[in-house]
Amino acid sequence: MLPIDYRYCPECSTPLSEGMVDGRLRKYCTQCHFVRYENPLPVVVALAQKDGRFLLIRRAIPPKKGYWGFPSGFVESGETPEEACLRELEEEAGVSGEIQRLLRVGRLEDTELYGDMLVVTYLVRVTSDTPVAESDEVDEVRYYSASELPSYLARSLRDVIEEVGGTS
Ligand SMILES: [Zn+2]
């Protein structure tokens, strides 16, 4: 489901109109104050390493089902991005970690499910032992050295990998 395309005002059920509000085309309600502002979803990514190798998960659900990637997920209300990052690492890869530093803040558009996302990537050091795929969202977890990374990841992360280093 790409971001919900509201047809009715969620506050008073009046059919929404569309027009320029605050310099952008937006949906709004003519009967109350409601304006449909669209914001990216906040996502955190754990670029997690142990002994110079990267911890990757294989996604068991869309988007990108069957692809390897870094543990990631949405920030929940009440969490800091750092807390969300370590929680996702634990949920998806079954390991605990320690935030080393903020690596990137960027934008990504997922055309499959979630639409526009604000993506915050942290470098994380894995502090516990064997990773386990214990979430329904993940079917395999393992470490990759820099040279073993799937080509689609190695390409998109070349600059990050150079920056953080890793064993090849
Ligand atoms: Zn309304």
Side-chain angles (χ1 to χ4, degrees):
M1 104 227 95
L2 286 163
I4 299 162
D5 189 21
Y6 288 118
R7 285 187 293 164
Y8 297 95
C9 176
E11 301 201 7
C12 75
S13 303
T14 302
L16 291 175
S17 303
E18 200 170 60
M20 291 301 281
V21 180
D22 294 341
R24 274 203 187 212
L25 195 62
R26 305 181 202 273
K27 292 191 169 176
Y28 64 95
C29 180
T30 54
Q31 298 304 306
C32 74
H33 65 280
F34 178 79
V35 177
R36 167 66 171 149
Y37 290 101
E38 291 185 42
N39 305 104
L41 283 166
V43 172
V44 284
V45 177
L47 205 143
Q49 281 188 315
K50 189 169 193 177
D51 304 326
R53 295 186 305 156
F54 298 95
L55 183 57
L56 262 54
I57 54 138
R58 192 170 62 192
R59 296 185 56 82
I61 57 161
K64 297 203 182 295
K65 184 178 174 185
Y67 284 86
W68 289 91
F70 292 98
S72 64
F74 297 113
V75 181
E76 307 231 35
S77 294
E79 273 182 329
T80 66
E82 290 87 352
E83 286 165 349
C85 179
L86 296 178
R87 174 183 51 75
E88 290 290 347
L89 176 68
E90 199 150 343
E91 285 175 7
E92 295 192 343
V95 293
S96 49
E98 228 176 57
I99 301 276
Q100 302 293 285
R101 63 189 166 95
L102 175 65
L103 277 176
R104 293 280 186 281
V105 180
R107 173 183 175 255
L108 195 68
E109 193 172 347
D110 170 38
T111 53
E112 211 176 332
L113 271 183
Y114 296 117
D116 209 30
M117 302 188 291
L118 174 80
V119 183
V120 181
T121 305
Y122 292 98
L123 180 64
V124 177
R125 189 172 66 86
V126 176
T127 54
S128 64
D129 290 327
T130 321
V132 207
E134 52 192 15
S135 144
D136 295 343
E137 301 171 15
V138 169
D139 59 17
E140 211 182 324
V141 183
R142 58 163 280 206
Y143 286 101
Y144 280 85
S145 66
S147 63
E148 291 171 328
L149 286 175
S151 56
Y152 49 86
L153 280 180
R155 257 197 317 278
S156 63
L157 289 167
R158 190 175 303 138
D159 56 333
V160 174
I161 289 164
E162 265 173 34
E163 187 182 322
V164 302
T167 54
S168 50

